[in-house]
Amino acid sequence: MAKDNLKEQEKLQQEKVEERVSAIETFFNENGKFIWGCLAAIVVVGAIVLAVQHFYVQPKKAEARNQMYPAEASFRNGEYELALKGDGNVLGFEQIIADYGSKAGAAAFLYAGECELELGNYEQAVSYLKKYKGKEPIMAARALSACGDALVALEKNAEALACYEKAAAKADNQFAASYLFRAGVLSEEMGESAKALAFYKKIKDQYPQSMEGYDIDKYIARIENAQ
């Protein structure tokens, strides 16, 4: 009796398998052309994407990198106007971004923003720096801090403070002390002594060997003595 039940179950399972196989075959028979058409379209699109990457995007990126070298050299020499605008023979960051956009790489926006900051063009500096999308933490923190400096010049202190805090959180190294110090000084200027004290104490606790850490006790003492 048990054997009969087992055979019956096996037969039912076999029938179910056959029904599924039959249904799949029917589906492919009815929709084969459509399926193969879709697969062919995917292959064609993939080939186009690869071709665009190989023959257009990558060469453009390489071209943009080559254009960046003279501008970067000017930036390192402190020639911010030349680095930003170029001289007619070589392009500046401004034109490189206009010509190549994101293909120029994230660094172009950081350099352009810092040039504008050094030249006192604060609105333009913020515009470039907010477009910086680099993933490297130290450079991302640098962009945030520079944006904070530009916002301070524009008297947008709350926004600037947020930039300094984000910069310190991203850097998480000796550079963070500089960003925390900026945040502390700005907080004092905004009349938020308790917040400033918290920034200064964080420098003392976490970055005592930084340049800011050597003198931080006097900033802490000044606020504590005034309370």
Side-chain angles (χ1 to χ4, degrees), residues 121-141:
N121 304 321
Y122 303 118
E123 291 282 3
Q124 295 93 320
V126 171
S127 178
Y128 278 125
L129 292 165
K130 284 188 174 181
K131 292 173 184 174
Y132 176 77
K133 303 299 180 185
K135 303 298 183 184
E136 203 283 317
I138 292 177
M139 298 300 285

Side-chain angles (χ1 to χ4, degrees), residues 20 24 52 142 196:
R20 291 195 188 106
I24 292 170
V52 169
R142 174 174 153 182

Side-chain angles (χ1 to χ4, degrees), residues 83-94:
L84 183 66
K85 301 290 187 180
D87 63 0
N89 295 313
V90 295
L91 300 182
F93 296 118
E94 184 178 84

Side-chain angles (χ1 to χ4, degrees), residues 212-226:
E212 293 76 15
Y214 289 125
D215 290 328
I216 205 64
D217 282 335
K218 68 181 183 183
Y219 292 91
I220 293 172
R222 186 181 66 219
I223 293 176
E224 289 182 336
N225 292 336

Side-chain angles (χ1 to χ4, degrees), residues 157-165 183 186-187 190 192 195 199:
N157 291 341
E159 289 182 56
L161 184 60
C163 284
Y164 292 143
E165 290 186 80
L186 183 57
S187 294
M190 295 168 68
E192 299 181 17
K195 186 175 283 189
F199 288 129

